[in-house]
């Protein structure tokens, strides 16, 4: 079985065991992995030569000579990560043990088209890369979470809602060309699911993570791995029809989609129609916190609509946990309504041990997922362009263990 950190015994898996404290020596790794000592030594040597592990000192003896201690290199590898929203970009560098360095938010309007957004993204990530190199860290690649569908190759954006000009835009390769680093691109909800799973639910094998913000999406963890489906569309609950809203047209061309009533954009629009100023999820949360009756009613109904859709998902998929994230997850009426609908509409067998809770990683969840995906290797990253940038990084390619 493949682990969340790569195939058992892979360099990525070995590094993860050292990083989470499960193993502190080669002997520990042999016991944990059940592999030959020679195989484990080869993996360790590979990671030491890559600058990802250090081996020094001596640990406690269990009989025989004292083992040398393995540690994740203090100035080891990082991945640059960007979590994109329709009107903002959050960037940061993610380390091997889940540390996030230099996280920042930037106002950027993706709805103006890919050209300006690519310029802004390349500029921010380029500056972030230089800060990491100045701190002595090695930049291994870039992970991007995009607020819309991404094709099965992880190369192009596909028909994102309310974003003209982005359809089939090759964001992965364009960014790789600009920065000279391998790039991994996926949907933002998938990246959030990876981050939450890695940081807060590593022992759970089946998980649904919902991102409820300006739009709505979800990521699915199955057997401990991100499930993307046949063409990368798994987890897209935003265009499931909700009967009560059948009169409302959706940007996808259908009517009555969940996004038309339960997203932050839909709630804000409904409030404005009632004469209440609201432009963002933050405005909605503020109104709810101050007891605005209309905002609270709309948010609670959004929770019921999301819960009704998730009930089908829970009955079908039978996850161990449903995690609610994104800006709207900060509204307790929405969370309570989702929880109530799941218990009302799901089979008792599906909910008897189901955990329903809010995300714990906050705004860094997408960064953690994107960084983790890059550092553990993936078949969906664009290779480093063939050029000679003045950097200290050694070339990497897809499939090479870069944990």
């Amino acid at each position: 079985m493949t682990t969340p950190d790569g195939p058992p015994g892979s360099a990525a898996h070995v590094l993860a065991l050292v990083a989470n404290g499960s193993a502190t020596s080669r002997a520990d790794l042999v016991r944990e992995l059940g592999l030959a000592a020679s195989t484990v030594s080869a993996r360790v040597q590979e990671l030491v030569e890559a600058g990802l592990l250090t081996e020094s000192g001596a640990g406690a003896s269990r009989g025989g000579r004292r083992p040398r201690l393995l540690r994740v290199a203090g100035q080891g590898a990082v991945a640059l990560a960007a979590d994109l929203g329709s009107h903002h970009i959050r960037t940061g560098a993610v380390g091997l043990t889940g540390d996030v360095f230099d996280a920042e938010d930037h106002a950027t309007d993706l709805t103006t088209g890919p050209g300006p957004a690519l310029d802004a993204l390349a500029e921010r990530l380029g500056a972030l890369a230089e800060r990491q190199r100045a701190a002595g860290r090695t930049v291994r690649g870039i992970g991007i979470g995009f607020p819309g569908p991404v094709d099965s190759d992880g190369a192009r954006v596909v028909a994102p809602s309310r974003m003209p000009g982005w359809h089939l835009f090759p964001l992965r390769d364009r960014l790789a060309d600009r920065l000279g680093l391998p790039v991994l691109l996926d949907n933002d909800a998938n990246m959030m699911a990876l981050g939450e799973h890695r940081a807060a639910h590593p022992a759970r094998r089946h998980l649904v993570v919902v991102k409820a913000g300006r739009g709505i999406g979800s990521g699915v963890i199955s057997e401990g791995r991100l499930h993307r489906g046949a063409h990368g569309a798994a987890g897209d609950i935003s265009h499931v029809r909700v009967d009560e809203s059948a009169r409302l047209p959706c940007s996808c061309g259908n009517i009555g989609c969940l996004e038309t009533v339960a997203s932050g954009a839909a709630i804000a629009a409904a409030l404005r129609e009632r004469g209440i100023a609201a432009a963002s999820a933050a405005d909605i949360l503020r109104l709810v916190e101050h007891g605005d009756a209309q905002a609270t009613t709309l948010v609670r109904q959004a929770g019921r609509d999301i819960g009704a859709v998730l009930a089908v998902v829970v009955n079908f998929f039978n996850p161990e946990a449903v995690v609610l994230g994104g800006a709207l997850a900060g509204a307790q009426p929405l969370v309570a309504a989702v929880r109530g609908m799941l218990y009302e509409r799901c089979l008792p067998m599906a909910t008897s041990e189901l955990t329903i809770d809010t995300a714990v990683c906050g705004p860094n969840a997408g960064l953690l997922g994107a960084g983790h995906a890059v550092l553990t290797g993936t078949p969906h990253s664009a290779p480093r362009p063939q050029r000679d940038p003045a950097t200290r990084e050694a070339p990497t390619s897809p499939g090479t263990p870069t944990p």
Side-chain angles (χ1 to χ4, degrees):
M1 179 184 296
T2 300
T3 73
D5 299 289
S10 66
H13 190 200
V14 167
L15 184 65
L17 290 173
V18 176
N20 66 26
S22 298
T24 60
S25 68
R26 298 189 188 210
D28 288 346
L29 289 168
V30 170
R31 283 189 291 271
E32 285 283 336
L33 298 171
L35 299 175
S38 59
T39 301
V40 168
S41 291
R43 298 288 186 271
V44 168
Q45 191 60 35
E46 180 182 352
L47 292 166
V48 169
E49 290 176 355
L52 303 178
L53 285 182
T54 63
E55 192 173 27
S56 62
S61 173
R62 297 190 182 185
R65 70 180 180 183
R66 300 170 68 189
R68 301 184 73 195
L69 293 176
L70 293 169
R71 293 187 178 89
V72 173
Q75 299 293 331
V78 295
L80 308 183
D83 186 16
L84 278 58
S86 58
H87 290 79
H88 81 281
I89 294 173
R90 184 170 178 81
T91 58
V94 179
L96 295 163
T97 56
D99 297 315
V100 178
F101 305 100
D102 301 314
E104 294 180 344
D105 286 299
H106 316 280
T108 303
D109 189 355
L110 269 63
T111 65
T112 60
L118 178 63
D119 290 340
L121 186 58
E123 178 183 353
R124 301 296 184 186
L125 290 174
L128 179 62
E130 289 307 311
R131 288 200 295 274
Q132 304 318 301
R133 293 166 187 146
R137 304 184 188 109
T138 299
V139 178
R140 292 285 175 178
I142 301 169
I144 306 292
F146 186 86
V150 173
D151 67 14
S152 58
D153 293 328
R156 299 184 297 179
V157 176
V158 181
S161 300
R162 304 180 305 277
M163 291 187 187
W166 280 97
H167 180 52
L168 299 182
F169 184 76
L171 179 58
R172 183 192 69 180
D173 295 340
R174 292 287 182 85
L175 192 59
D177 288 341
R178 292 280 289 269
L179 295 178
L181 288 165
V183 174
L184 183 149
L185 174 67
D186 209 333
N187 172 261
D188 60 341
N190 284 345
M191 293 302 197
M192 183 178 190
L194 282 173
E196 280 291 322
H197 180 239
R198 169 76 167 172
H201 305 277
R204 291 197 166 111
R205 310 297 295 171
H206 305 283
L207 194 69
V208 175
V209 179
V210 177
K211 184 174 184 179
R214 185 173 181 84
I216 298 177
S218 73
V220 178
I221 302 293
S222 178
E223 288 294 344
R225 303 176 64 189
L226 178 67
H227 177 67
R228 301 183 77 250
H231 301 291
D236 188 353
I237 62 173
S238 61
H239 298 292
V240 174
R241 184 167 179 170
V242 180
D243 290 342
E244 291 80 2
S245 64
R247 68 187 184 281
L248 298 174
C250 180
S251 59
C252 73
N254 288 320
I255 59 173
C257 295
L258 179 64
E259 183 177 282
T260 66
V261 291
S263 65
I267 296 171
L271 287 169
R272 291 194 297 272
E273 289 177 359
R274 291 163 170 77
I276 300 173
S280 66
D283 294 335
I284 296 168
L285 292 181
R286 185 180 65 254
L287 289 166
V288 172
E289 288 169 357
H290 285 81
D292 184 273
Q294 295 190 69
T296 302
T297 297
L298 288 169
V299 164
R300 184 174 287 117
Q301 183 58 49
R304 292 192 187 101
D305 291 331
I306 293 171
V309 173
L310 285 178
V312 178
V313 175
V314 169
N315 278 331
F316 178 78
F317 177 52
N318 189 205
E320 298 165 84
V322 171
V323 179
L324 303 175
L328 289 182
Q332 285 305 309
L334 182 141
V335 176
V338 170
R339 185 178 285 115
M341 289 298 287
L342 289 178
Y343 284 124
E344 175 186 332
R345 297 198 176 186
C346 291
L347 295 170
M349 187 175 181
T351 58
S352 61
E353 297 183 16
L354 178 70
T355 298
I356 307 167
D357 215 339
T358 54
V360 301
C361 294
N364 283 340
L367 298 183
L368 289 168
H372 173 66
V374 172
L375 293 172
T376 56
T378 172
H380 294 301
S381 58
R384 179 196 300 268
Q386 296 301 310
R387 68 182 212 184
D388 187 25
T391 66
R392 292 196 299 268
E393 287 86 328
T396 58
S397 61
T400 300
T402 54

